[in-house]
Amino acid sequence: MATESALLERCESKCELCSATSPLQPFVVAPHTQITVDHAVMLCETCKTQIENPEATDPNHWRCLNDSMWSQTPAVQVVAWRQLKRLSESETWAHDLLDMMYLEDETKTWAEIGMDDDADKPLDVNGVELKKGDDVTIIKDLPIKGSSQVIKQGTVVRNINVSADDAKHIQGKVNGQAMYVIAEYCRKK
């Protein structure tokens, strides 16, 4: 509770991004996982929901970043930079703000690390994310390491698992044998 009190005091009971005074919640800034004063920001429900669900983003809501990007708090700067980076792909005003924003090297590294979320997900040949339980089709003949056998193009691998060790690999049974397959040589069914 002391951490949340310190965060509320820092933000003067206002959302650290849009300054809303509605109920606030602490939001841990990835890749950190613990709520601490240095690694969390206080957000209103609107900001938190749109950060967690990028498809639900209302670009006009984020015009508030014009002010919050100048915060002296690194965690706030990181969240503002990430939102501007996402928005800059479709909104010219966000691109302009991003060009003006300055981050210390350590803070910029923190911001960029969190933008690599897709790097931790296995993607098929078309860039579609593969998830546990999906069925995939092999797109080309693949030699099996340590064997003279080949997985033929068109082979279906059902009910795959995602490798915890390497995001480029999926696991499944091919011809009754459990093995790892490189995700980019598959197409989701």
Side-chain angles (χ1 to χ4, degrees):
M1 233 24 208
T3 302
E4 196 167 325
S5 298
L7 287 167
L8 283 168
E9 185 178 323
R10 178 181 79 196
C11 71
E12 299 173 352
S13 298
K14 294 179 186 172
C15 175
E16 292 189 271
L17 296 178
C18 73
S19 299
T21 56
S22 58
L24 304 175
Q25 303 170 36
F27 176 81
V28 180
V29 183
H32 303 286
T33 57
Q34 299 293 320
I35 296 175
T36 66
V37 175
D38 294 332
H39 301 138
V41 294
M42 292 301 279
L43 300 180
C44 66
E45 188 62 34
T46 304
C47 288
K48 187 173 187 291
T49 301
Q50 290 188 35
I51 288 171
E52 292 174 342
N53 304 309
E55 329 54 76
T57 297
D58 172 15
N60 287 323
H61 173 76
W62 294 106
R63 290 186 181 266
C64 62
L65 296 175
N66 189 36
D67 295 325
S68 56
M69 70 184 223
W70 303 112
S71 170
Q72 296 299 308
T73 307
V76 175
Q77 293 173 351
V78 167
V79 176
W81 187 88
R82 288 177 184 171
Q83 282 305 105
L84 287 171
K85 186 79 169 163
R86 285 187 185 107
L87 290 165
S88 68
E89 295 172 9
S90 60
E91 303 291 327
T92 55
W93 62 265
H95 188 273
D96 294 342
L97 289 179
L98 194 60
D99 283 346
M100 286 190 292
M101 192 171 185
Y102 173 78
L103 297 177
E104 295 290 336
D105 291 340
E106 185 177 307
T107 306
K108 184 157 186 172
T109 301
W110 178 12
E112 289 170 342
I113 287 171
M115 293 299 290
D116 291 339
D117 292 343
D118 289 340
D120 296 340
K121 299 174 184 174
L123 304 175
D124 77 354
V125 66
N126 297 319
V128 176
E129 181 183 349
L130 299 175
K131 296 181 180 170
K132 181 178 180 174
D134 286 344
D135 295 341
V136 297
T137 304
I138 305 298
I139 62 164
K140 69 179 226 171
D141 289 354
L142 297 175
I144 299 172
K145 267 189 181 176
S147 166
S148 61
Q149 296 177 335
V150 174
I151 303 172
K152 295 286 186 190
Q153 176 181 349
T155 302
V156 176
V157 182
R158 299 193 186 283
N159 197 23
I160 65 165
N161 281 315
V162 177
S163 172
D165 299 330
D166 188 349
K168 293 188 288 186
H169 293 104
I170 59 166
Q171 182 181 14
K173 284 195 173 185
V174 179
N175 301 328
Q177 214 175 7
M179 60 183 66
Y180 288 95
V181 178
I182 297 173
E184 66 187 42
Y185 296 129
C186 302
R187 181 180 304 113
K188 186 174 178 175
K189 288 192 75 134

